[in-house]
Amino acid sequence: DRYRDPATRSAWYARAFEALRRIEGIESVGSAVVTPLTGNNWTVPFERADRPVPAGQRAPDVGWQAATAGYFTTLRIPLREGRLFAPTDRPGGPTVVIISEAVRDRFFPGESPIGRRIRGGDGGAEIVGVVGNIRRAALTDRPRADMYFPAEQGPQHTATLFIRTAGDPRAAVADVRAALRGIEPLIVLRGIRTMQEVAHESVAFGDLSWSRL
C-alpha cells in the first residue's frame, strides 16, 4: 500500500540498488521483469514510426523485456551503440527504448537507429541504444530480436534482482536480505538462484524436450 504510484516504487528501487552496491563483494546490480533462459517468449509488434505497416497487416513481433541499466552491465550484455537507460528516464518522462542488434539489422539495415522512433503505446518511443543479442528463452535457442523498455519508467511491485559478485554469490545472500529489509521490512525475497543454476536448468529442460519429440 505504500508503493501505489510509480514514483514511489522508483524511489524504492533507487534506494535498494544504492544499499546493495555498498555491500562488500557486490560489483553491480540491476533488475528486470523477465529472467533469461527460463523459457519466456513474450513478444510485441515492432513498427517504425516513419514506416507504418499498411492497413490490414500486423507488424512483425520481437521479444519484450523491461529492465534497468544495471541489468545489462550485470549480465554483461554489451552496449553496441547509443546509451543505456539513464537516471533521467523516469516515470512521466519521454518514453525511450533499447533494441538488440538483431532488431537493428532487421529493421534498420545500413543505418543507425539511434534517435528513430517506434510506434506503440501513448506516442511511441525513441530508440536510445543498441545492445548485443542474447538467447533469451533458452541456451539451446537461437539469439532473439529483443526490445527493452526502462523499468525506471514503469517500476513494478515484483521484479527479479540481478546481482554480480566478486566471489561466491551465495555468500552475499544474507547481506542482501539484511540490506533490503533495512529499507522495507515487509519485502518478500524468493526464488534465489545463481545464473549458473538457471543455465543448467535451461540445458536440462532443452534436452528433455528433445527427448520427447
Side-chain angles (χ1 to χ4, degrees), residues 205-213:
F205 179 78
D207 292 340
L208 180 62
S209 297
W210 279 106
S211 69
R212 291 176 174 174
L213 293 180

Side-chain angles (χ1 to χ4, degrees), residues 43-97:
T43 60
V44 292
F46 185 92
E47 185 176 10
R48 291 179 54 159
D50 59 341
R51 298 182 185 178
V53 174
Q57 296 185 23
R58 175 179 169 81
D61 285 336
V62 300
W64 177 92
Q65 168 73 296
T68 66
Y71 167 84
F72 301 100
T73 54
T74 300
L75 292 187
R76 294 182 177 171
I77 301 173
L79 177 66
R80 301 301 193 193
E81 189 177 352
R83 67 172 176 86
L84 297 178
F85 298 131
T88 53
D89 301 321
R90 292 298 181 185
T95 304
V96 298
V97 66

